Amino acid sequence: MKQKRFFLREDQIPRQWYNIQADMPVKPMPMLNPATRQPVKEEELYPIFAKELCRQELDTGRRWFDIPEEVLEQYRYYRSTPLVRAYGLEKALDTPAHIYFKNESVSPVGSHKLNSALAQAYYCKKEGVKNVTTETGAGQWGTALSYAARLFGLEAAVYQVKISYEQKPYRRSMMQVFGAQVTPSPSMSTRAGKDILTRTPNHQGSLGTAISEAVELARMTPDCKYTLGSVMNHVALHQTVIGLEAEMQMEMAGEYPDMIIACFGGGSNFGGISFPFMRHVFSGERRTRFIAAEPESCPKLTHGKFEYDFGDEAGYTPLLPMYTLGHDFTPANIHAGGLRYHGAGVIVSQLLKDGYMEAVDIGQHESFQAGVLFARNEGIIPAPESCHAIAATVREALKCREAGESKVILFNLSGHGLVDMSAYDQYLAGNL
Amino acid sequence: MKQKRFFLREDQIPRQWYNIQADMPVKPMPMLNPATRQPVKEEELYPIFAKELCRQELDTGRRWFDIPEEVLEQYRYYRSTPLVRAYGLEKALDTPAHIYFKNESVSPVGSHKLNSALAQAYYCKKEGVKNVTTETGAGQWGTALSYAARLFGLEAAVYQVKISYEQKPYRRSMMQVFGAQVTPSPSMSTRAGKDILTRTPNHQGSLGTAISEAVELARMTPDCKYTLGSVMNHVALHQTVIGLEAEMQMEMAGEYPDMIIACFGGGSNFGGISFPFMRHVFSGERRTRFIAAEPESCPKLTHGKFEYDFGDEAGYTPLLPMYTLGHDFTPANIHAGGLRYHGAGVIVSQLLKDGYMEAVDIGQHESFQAGVLFARNEGIIPAPESCHAIAATVREALKCREAGESKVILFNLSGHGLVDMSAYDQYLAGNL
């Protein structure tokens, strides 16, 4: 019988995260203080983030960071996540390609986001922080942070992009079950929110607006730090546990990926699965393709400009060197709320610029078509975000069929879509 | 570091189901043909169920049934499910009890129901059946059957209890994503449905009405069989894979349960986790308590009568010897739709009568209170049905605290509640 799933033993779960910055042939350009245009120093980030996270953010020399014992203990509640051979999907596509996926949807909160939420909540707790704030789009990050905050005894305040708050009431409920305060953004609870609503009274919200509000609340509240679910280097660092596990699991399966595919919002699940494999490309040991799948309607990698830009709507963040559509870009209201962000993380932007990775943009219809095909053949209903990775995988698998090539494809199933079923309804009704 | 989760290797997954009927000190009384009042013969069930399922249903002699290779292959896509030590819940309750749960929510469709759906769809396929019908309450069984049918190339028609159809649109969507036809019941598509709607135009539906419709459709359609997600002996048989795995996993954990707890609708998840352990009680080897947790509003085990009754509203099924509230009982509209059934399975009814198990009834508020406590400490949001098992576990764990006893409790987490978040909303708003 063919083995379908590959797990690690608890003692094999990685004990360190991989910092790709240490190995990058061209280091990322520095973040800039918008007032001085000087590189941001670690201390300048302290008012926003926990100190250890600031250290991780800017460290370009240290290759490995130890995962704290308390975080590791929580990882063991759901990790290793399975590496799965998608025999069903292969058969449906009649492709000679070997398709594997890393199933991050099995985390208690349903996505990879918990990998970094646990780390961020832990460091905050360790530094005496009492409250954490954040923003959430689709709600995956907000759910993860709400649960992680609860585990480490912190209060969580989440600004949820207004359109998601209204379209995805189940996500809001999940955060509330975990005990978080959830506010639709833009709101009247912050200056940034008020300014936006004054300019645009019916503003539907975006990750950019919600970030502004969460950052402002963190700055104005004692013992309070801001946390972020993507874009930042330290988030991708924590997510490398995905790729480090996958590397060992692919070895158990006796194969090595020719290409690695992930959906792309700010880069956290993409970086998480890709970066550990990329170090073998830097070293010349391997030739692997890395493909980021972004939505057609928010195409910063395929159609954005590489330049310094703010990470949020109000301009509270440092200036980041990145592929961006402009910090005031308001993406179309697609269902993949987690991919509606105007910019790409600094590391990924540099890697794309230097030709170490590729990007493709995927239309909404194609993404759901791939998602339904996957559900019917693998049983898991994927998150609208993850559908983009599946669609890119389907494209590559069909190319393999045409060429008669048995390439090995690994994609990241970043989350399940069980609280996104209204999106599937609309797809099945022919409205997407 | 304390081990949290216990998995089996793929080669350790059970290859046989356990038929408790072979070991019961008092065999269940026979099903009766309502016309003749004579015991039902295997052949009389052929118009409704696949033949192999009829055989399994009535076999009181054979202890083990081989799991077909094709079903085993599908089991290996999600089994073994983890046995988890609930350290978080223990700490929150400050109890010396050791609490374990079998996490059936990790199946692709989110509940234990897939264990039997795969078997039933396989046997139908093997016998040349083209279409399967069924009913679903909360939607867990319907989702499982829809996916299993798709895997084995069958068309599925699901009658969903009307109130669930309206309150749980995400469940309907999931079935449709898997390609099933979903009809709210009672409907005008069957004689049984028409009769019910004529008598009670605003009938909200019950499992009893939906079963009548599904059975009628199966009888009237060529190459079509009916399938059922609980109550029947063959369903509990398939579910014993849960308890057989748990037995090995508890051994890995170095403990043996003093009590085993599961929520109770018709008995499928309760029987699944309990029956394999019960054989050691029959043999005198072990003394284990088995506790079925049913809702206060549908209390057939704690307040029903043991008598012959129909399994459905219209009286299409054989007469079953069981604890029942009457086949025309319409339960209150609680959120645990899967527990809203008027009768208990034949085997469980006999076991309760003979004192091998206990039952407790749990109010809706208490069940959600326990569910939220569990979610905040274990990260998984449980199905409203499973909340009843958790509430019964909490009661026992608190008794252990009072008595200072370190008893070992094992409960079955039959499914997650991610598509039941509106129920949690109402609980958090103080409306339950």
Side-chain angles (χ1 to χ4, degrees):
Chain A
M1 200 184 274
K2 305 170 293 187
Q3 190 165 353
K4 170 86 178 166
R5 301 193 305 163
F6 302 87
F7 282 101
L8 303 177
R9 294 190 317 270
E10 286 197 9
D11 60 5
Q12 292 177 304
I13 297 172
R15 302 183 147 267
Q16 295 185 309
W17 295 302
Y18 170 62
N19 179 19
I20 194 173
Q21 296 186 86
D23 288 331
M24 286 169 72
V26 183
K27 304 276 182 199
M29 290 157 63
M31 289 188 228
L32 300 182
N33 179 321
T36 64
R37 305 289 291 194
Q38 291 301 303
V40 164
K41 294 195 202 82
E42 197 179 302
E43 307 80 63
E44 291 178 75
L45 297 173
Y46 289 174
I48 305 180
F49 297 111
K51 286 178 189 165
E52 179 61 27
L53 298 171
C54 303
R55 204 162 300 141
Q56 294 174 354
E57 185 64 27
L58 298 179
D59 194 324
T60 58
R62 191 161 154 191
R63 187 170 287 118
W64 298 98
F65 281 88
D66 287 344
I67 304 176
E69 204 56 39
E70 290 83 349
V71 174
L72 206 51
E73 190 175 334
Q74 294 301 328
Y75 276 1
R76 296 169 78 167
Y77 282 34
Y78 65 99
R79 308 206 67 86
S80 69
T81 62
L83 176 80
V84 189
R85 174 82 183 266
Y87 289 112
L89 182 63
E90 289 175 19
K91 198 175 151 200
L93 294 171
D94 189 24
T95 176
H98 293 193
I99 305 175
Y100 292 84
F101 63 95
K102 182 73 168 154
N103 185 2
E104 290 292 307
S105 80
V106 301
S107 101
V109 298
S111 82
H112 71 292
K113 294 291 187 187
L114 194 55
N115 302 328
S116 185
L118 289 168
Q120 294 188 47
Y122 165 74
Y123 289 122
C124 285
K125 176 68 178 181
K126 202 180 154 203
E127 293 177 22
V129 169
K130 302 269 188 285
N131 310 284
V132 287
T133 72
T134 198
E135 82 299 326
T136 198
Q140 288 186 337
W141 168 249
T143 309
L145 198 266
S146 299
Y147 175 56
R150 164 68 47 170
L151 276 180
F152 288 108
L154 304 167
E155 296 297 321
V158 181
Y159 286 95
Q160 185 173 14
V161 175
K162 192 183 277 173
I163 185 84
S164 284
Y165 184 91
E166 285 160 5
Q167 284 184 343
K168 303 195 175 187
Y170 282 22
R171 274 286 174 203
R172 176 201 26 84
S173 307
M174 289 176 72
M175 294 185 259
Q176 290 170 335
V177 164
F178 291 132
Q181 280 211 345
V182 189
T183 308
S185 171
S187 77
M188 296 300 279
S189 71
T190 61
R191 212 193 63 197
K194 277 181 209 159
D195 287 354
I196 293 162
L197 286 171
T198 306
R199 284 201 310 275
T200 317
N202 290 320
H203 202 293
Q204 294 291 287
S206 68
L207 282 169
T209 67
I211 292 174
S212 295
E213 293 205 89
V215 169
E216 185 182 320
L217 184 66
R219 279 183 166 168
M220 299 301 184
T221 311
D223 298 328
C224 182
K225 295 289 175 201
Y226 169 69
T227 64
L228 189 68
S230 192
V231 183
M232 305 293 284
N233 301 338
H234 64 267
V235 181
L237 172 74
H238 305 149
Q239 294 294 356
T240 57
V241 69
I242 302 172
L244 292 166
E245 284 184 1
E247 206 184 337
M248 287 185 271
Q249 290 166 309
M250 287 298 308
E251 203 178 317
M252 289 167 71
E255 305 218 71
Y256 196 91
D258 294 302
M259 54 196 115
I260 293 176
I261 297 174
C263 65
F264 195 92
S268 83
N269 97 87
F270 175 83
I273 194 158
S274 296
F275 291 173
F277 287 94
M278 219 179 264
R279 73 190 199 275
H280 306 301
V281 174
F282 295 150
S283 71
E285 224 180 312
R286 295 280 184 183
R287 298 167 68 98
T288 312
R289 288 175 61 202
F290 301 91
I291 306 171
E294 63 181 7
E296 219 172 56
S297 56
C298 193
K300 58 246 175 193
L301 297 177
T302 54
H303 294 80
K305 270 205 262 184
F306 184 90
E307 61 186 14
Y308 272 100
D309 193 8
F310 289 107
D312 71 323
E313 170 92 16
Y316 286 162
T317 69
L319 286 165
L320 306 171
M322 63 182 180
Y323 281 93
T324 175
L325 298 160
H327 68 278
D328 55 356
F329 176 80
T330 302
N333 179 26
I334 57 166
H335 289 281
L339 308 184
R340 296 170 76 244
Y341 184 68
H342 67 276
V346 168
I347 294 174
V348 169
S349 293
Q350 190 64 46
L351 292 168
L352 181 66
K353 192 156 170 275
D354 295 339
Y356 287 103
M357 54 174 279
E358 310 159 41
V360 292
D361 58 332
I362 309 268
Q364 187 162 229
H365 183 86
E366 183 182 350
S367 72
F368 278 103
Q369 193 174 32
V372 169
L373 182 75
F374 182 78
R376 290 187 177 176
N377 292 285
E378 295 290 333
I380 304 162
I381 298 179
E385 291 80 6
S386 313
C387 287
H388 291 75
I390 300 171
T393 299
V394 168
R395 285 187 189 175
E396 293 295 333
L398 292 179
K399 280 186 215 163
C400 287
R401 183 171 76 185
E402 278 163 39
E405 288 178 322
S406 299
K407 291 204 172 151
V408 178
I409 306 175
L410 167 63
F411 76 87
N412 197 29
L413 185 77
S414 56
H416 65 63
L418 296 180
V419 286
D420 301 284
M421 294 310 300
S422 57
Y424 281 92
D425 276 353
Q426 289 186 36
Y427 170 75
L428 291 175
N431 297 334
L432 296 187
Chain B
M1 199 183 274
K2 303 170 295 186
Q3 190 164 352
K4 169 85 178 167
R5 300 193 306 163
F6 301 87
F7 283 100
L8 302 177
R9 295 191 314 270
E10 286 197 11
D11 60 6
Q12 293 177 302
I13 297 172
R15 301 184 148 266
Q16 295 184 309
W17 294 303
Y18 170 61
N19 179 20
I20 194 173
Q21 295 187 87
D23 288 331
M24 286 170 71
V26 182
K27 304 276 182 198
M29 289 156 64
M31 289 189 228
L32 300 182
N33 180 323
T36 63
R37 305 288 291 191
Q38 291 301 304
V40 164
K41 294 196 202 81
E42 198 179 300
E43 307 81 66
E44 291 178 74
L45 297 174
Y46 288 175
I48 306 181
F49 297 110
K51 286 179 189 163
E52 178 60 26
L53 298 171
C54 303
R55 204 161 300 141
Q56 294 174 353
E57 185 64 27
L58 297 180
D59 195 323
T60 58
R62 191 161 155 192
R63 187 170 286 118
W64 298 98
F65 280 87
D66 287 345
I67 304 175
E69 205 55 41
E70 291 83 348
V71 175
L72 206 51
E73 190 175 333
Q74 294 301 327
Y75 277 1
R76 295 169 78 168
Y77 283 34
Y78 66 99
R79 308 205 67 87
S80 68
T81 62
L83 175 79
V84 189
R85 174 83 183 264
Y87 289 112
L89 183 63
E90 289 175 20
K91 198 174 150 200
L93 294 171
D94 189 23
T95 178
H98 294 193
I99 304 175
Y100 292 83
F101 63 94
K102 183 72 169 154
N103 185 3
E104 290 293 305
S105 79
V106 301
S107 102
V109 298
S111 82
H112 71 292
K113 294 290 188 187
L114 194 55
N115 301 328
S116 186
L118 290 167
Q120 294 188 46
Y122 166 74
Y123 288 122
C124 285
K125 176 69 179 181
K126 202 180 154 202
E127 292 177 23
V129 169
K130 302 268 187 285
N131 310 284
V132 287
T133 72
T134 199
E135 83 298 327
T136 198
Q140 288 186 337
W141 168 250
T143 309
L145 198 265
S146 300
Y147 174 56
R150 164 69 44 170
L151 276 180
F152 288 107
L154 305 167
E155 295 298 320
V158 181
Y159 286 95
Q160 186 174 13
V161 174
K162 192 184 278 173
I163 185 84
S164 283
Y165 184 91
E166 286 161 4
Q167 283 184 343
K168 303 195 175 187
Y170 281 22
R171 274 285 172 201
R172 174 197 34 79
S173 307
M174 288 176 72
M175 293 186 260
Q176 289 170 336
V177 164
F178 292 131
Q181 280 210 345
V182 188
T183 308
S185 171
S187 77
M188 296 300 279
S189 71
T190 63
R191 212 194 63 196
K194 277 181 208 160
D195 287 353
I196 293 162
L197 287 171
T198 306
R199 282 200 311 276
T200 317
N202 290 321
H203 201 294
Q204 294 291 286
S206 68
L207 282 168
T209 67
I211 292 174
S212 295
E213 293 206 89
V215 169
E216 185 181 322
L217 184 67
R219 279 182 167 169
M220 299 301 185
T221 312
D223 296 329
C224 182
K225 295 290 174 199
Y226 170 67
T227 63
L228 189 67
S230 192
V231 182
M232 304 294 282
N233 300 338
H234 65 266
V235 181
L237 173 74
H238 305 149
Q239 294 294 355
T240 57
V241 68
I242 302 172
L244 292 165
E245 284 184 2
E247 207 183 336
M248 287 186 270
Q249 291 166 307
M250 287 300 306
E251 202 178 320
M252 291 167 71
E255 305 217 69
Y256 196 90
D258 294 302
M259 54 195 117
I260 293 177
I261 297 173
C263 66
F264 194 91
S268 83
N269 98 86
F270 176 82
I273 193 157
S274 297
F275 291 174
F277 287 93
M278 219 178 264
R279 74 190 199 274
H280 305 302
V281 173
F282 295 151
S283 71
E285 223 180 313
R286 294 279 185 184
R287 298 167 69 99
T288 312
R289 288 174 60 201
F290 301 92
I291 305 171
E294 64 181 4
E296 220 171 54
S297 55
C298 194
K300 58 247 177 193
L301 296 177
T302 53
H303 294 80
K305 270 205 261 182
F306 184 89
E307 61 186 15
Y308 271 101
D309 194 9
F310 289 107
D312 70 322
E313 169 94 14
Y316 286 162
T317 69
L319 286 165
L320 305 171
M322 62 181 180
Y323 281 94
T324 175
L325 297 161
H327 67 278
D328 55 355
F329 176 80
T330 303
N333 178 27
I334 57 165
H335 289 282
L339 308 185
R340 295 171 77 243
Y341 184 66
H342 67 277
V346 167
I347 293 174
V348 169
S349 293
Q350 191 64 46
L351 292 169
L352 181 65
K353 192 156 169 275
D354 295 338
Y356 287 102
M357 54 174 281
E358 310 157 43
V360 292
D361 58 331
I362 308 268
Q364 187 162 229
H365 183 85
E366 182 182 350
S367 73
F368 278 104
Q369 192 174 31
V372 169
L373 183 75
F374 182 78
R376 291 186 177 176
N377 291 285
E378 295 291 332
I380 304 162
I381 296 178
E385 290 80 8
S386 312
C387 287
H388 291 74
I390 300 171
T393 299
V394 168
R395 284 188 189 176
E396 293 295 333
L398 292 178
K399 280 186 214 161
C400 287
R401 184 171 74 185
E402 278 163 39
E405 289 179 322
S406 299
K407 290 202 172 151
V408 178
I409 306 174
L410 167 63
F411 77 87
N412 197 29
L413 185 76
S414 56
H416 65 63
L418 296 180
V419 286
D420 302 283
M421 294 311 299
S422 57
Y424 281 92
D425 275 355
Q426 290 186 37
Y427 169 75
L428 292 175
N431 297 335
L432 297 186

